[in-house]
C-alpha cells in the first residue's frame, strides 16, 4: 500500500509539472514589440527571444519588413551583430550571434533596435529564425494561427481623437473579453495546481499513518 501511494504521488506531481511546462511553452514565442506604431516614426523596437529547448539559443536572424528602415541597435555584451544589405545598401536582415553561452534553457533575451516606419499605413511582418546549439532552426515565419507565428506591427495613423464612441466601446469590450480569457486560463491552471497539491497532501498523510 505504501509503495502504491508513493508511486501515485510521484505520478501526480510529475503530471502537474508537465502541465505547467507545456502551458508556458505554448505561449513562448519570438515576439517583436510594439504591435502598433505610427507612419514615419523612428520607433524603438524590442525583440524577445525565449529558449524553449534543452540546449541554448546561439543565433537569431530577424528579417526587416519591406518599407521599414533599420537604423541602429543597442549593443548587448556577449552578442555580435551583422547586417545583410541589398544592392542599394538597404538593410534586409539583422543577425545576433552569441559569443559565449547564448540564451540558456529557461531564459530569454531582449534585443533592442531602432527602425524608421513606412510613411504609409501597412502591416509589417517580422520573420525571425532561431538557431539552437544542436543545429536545429525554428522559423518564426507563419501566420498568427500557426505553431510558429511571426510578429506583426501595424502602422496606422493616430485616430484616437476622431474615433467614434461606438468603436471605442467595441474595442474596450474586446480588450475586456481578452483580459477575462487570460484571467480564466490563469485561474484554471491555479485550480488544477491546488487540487493536485491537496491530493498529494492527503496521500502523504495516509502514508504517515501506515
Amino acid at each position: 500500500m505504501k509503495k502504491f501511494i508513493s508511486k501515485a504521488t510521484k505520478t501526480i506531481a510529475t503530471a502537474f509539472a508537465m502541465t505547467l511546462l507545456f502551458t508556458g511553452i505554448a505561449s513562448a514565442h519570438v515576439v517583436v514589440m510594439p504591435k502598433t506604431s505610427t507612419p514615419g516614426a523612428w520607433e524603438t523596437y524590442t525583440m524577445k527571444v525565449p529558449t524553449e529547448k534543452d540546449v541554448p539559443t546561439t543565433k537569431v536572424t530577424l528579417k526587416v519588413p519591406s518599407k521599414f528602415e533599420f537604423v541602429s541597435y543597442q549593443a548587448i555584451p556577449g552578442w555580435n551583430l551583422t547586417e545583410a544589405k541589398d544592392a542599394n545598401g538597404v538593410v534586409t536582415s539583422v543577425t545576433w550571434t552569441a559569443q559565449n553561452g547564448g540564451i540558456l534553457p529557461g531564459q530569454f533575451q531582449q534585443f533592442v533596435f531602432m527602425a524608421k516606419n513606412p510613411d504609409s499605413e501597412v502591416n509589417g511582418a517580422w520573420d525571425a529564425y532561431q538557431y539552437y546549439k544542436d543545429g536545429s532552426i525554428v522559423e518564426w515565419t507563419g501566420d498568427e494561427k500557426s505553431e510558429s507565428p511571426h510578429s506583426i506591427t501595424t502602422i496606422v495613423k493616430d485616430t484616437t481623437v476622431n474615433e467614434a464612441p461606438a468603436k471605442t466601446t467595441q474595442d474596450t469590450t474586446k480588450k475586456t473579453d481578452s483580459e477575462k480569457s487570460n484571467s480564466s486560463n490563469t485561474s484554471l491552471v491555479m485550480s488544477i495546481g491546488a487540487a493536485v497539491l491537496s491530493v498529494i497532501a492527503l496521500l502523504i498523510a495516509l502514508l504517515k499513518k501506515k
Side-chain angles (χ1 to χ4, degrees):
M1 181 64 178
K2 290 183 178 180
K3 290 183 178 180
F4 172 77
I5 294 176
S6 178
K7 184 177 180 180
T9 302
K10 291 180 180 179
T11 301
I12 294 173
T14 300
F16 177 56
M18 293 301 293
T19 299
L20 293 180
L21 174 62
F22 287 122
T23 300
I25 289 178
S27 61
H29 300 310
V30 171
V31 179
V32 177
M33 298 295 290
K35 293 293 187 181
T36 59
S37 189
T38 55
W42 290 62
E43 184 68 79
T44 298
Y45 288 96
T46 300
M47 176 176 65
K48 184 174 70 174
V49 181
T51 289
E52 302 176 345
K53 297 188 177 184
D54 294 330
V55 293
T57 295
T58 56
K59 185 171 68 173
V60 183
T61 295
L62 180 68
K63 293 186 65 176
V64 180
S66 176
K67 298 182 181 181
F68 284 70
E69 180 183 347
F70 183 85
V71 179
S72 59
Y73 66 96
Q74 180 176 308
I76 302 176
W79 290 83
N80 182 45
L81 181 139
T82 56
E83 302 174 350
K85 302 179 180 180
D86 62 16
N88 297 318
V90 177
V91 178
T92 56
S93 67
V94 185
T95 298
W96 287 267
T97 304
Q99 302 300 303
N100 44 38
I103 309 173
L104 302 180
Q107 297 181 353
F108 71 88
Q109 178 67 56
Q110 295 188 118
F111 301 90
V112 181
F113 60 94
M114 181 181 293
K116 183 179 182 299
N117 293 338
D119 293 327
S120 58
E121 296 185 322
V122 297
N123 289 329
W126 301 93
D127 287 339
Y129 302 82
Q130 184 174 7
Y131 296 78
Y132 284 92
K133 190 175 182 179
D134 61 1
S136 60
I137 305 173
V138 178
E139 299 184 2
W140 301 95
T141 58
D143 59 32
E144 59 181 4
K145 296 181 180 179
S146 69
E147 294 182 356
S148 53
H150 53 203
S151 277
I152 294 179
T153 296
T154 301
I155 304 302
V156 60
K157 294 179 181 178
D158 186 3
T159 58
T160 304
V161 177
N162 298 322
E163 193 173 62
K167 184 177 180 180
T168 303
T169 302
Q170 182 179 12
D171 291 344
T172 302
T173 302
K174 289 181 178 179
K175 182 177 180 182
T176 302
D177 290 342
S178 177
E179 291 174 347
K180 287 182 179 179
S181 177
N182 292 335
S183 177
S184 177
N185 291 336
T186 302
S187 299
L188 177 60
V189 173
M190 294 302 294
S191 297
I192 293 174
V196 170
L197 292 177
S198 297
V199 172
I200 292 176
L202 177 60
L203 290 175
I204 293 175
L206 293 174
L207 181 60
K208 289 181 178 180
K209 292 181 179 181
K210 298 295 182 178

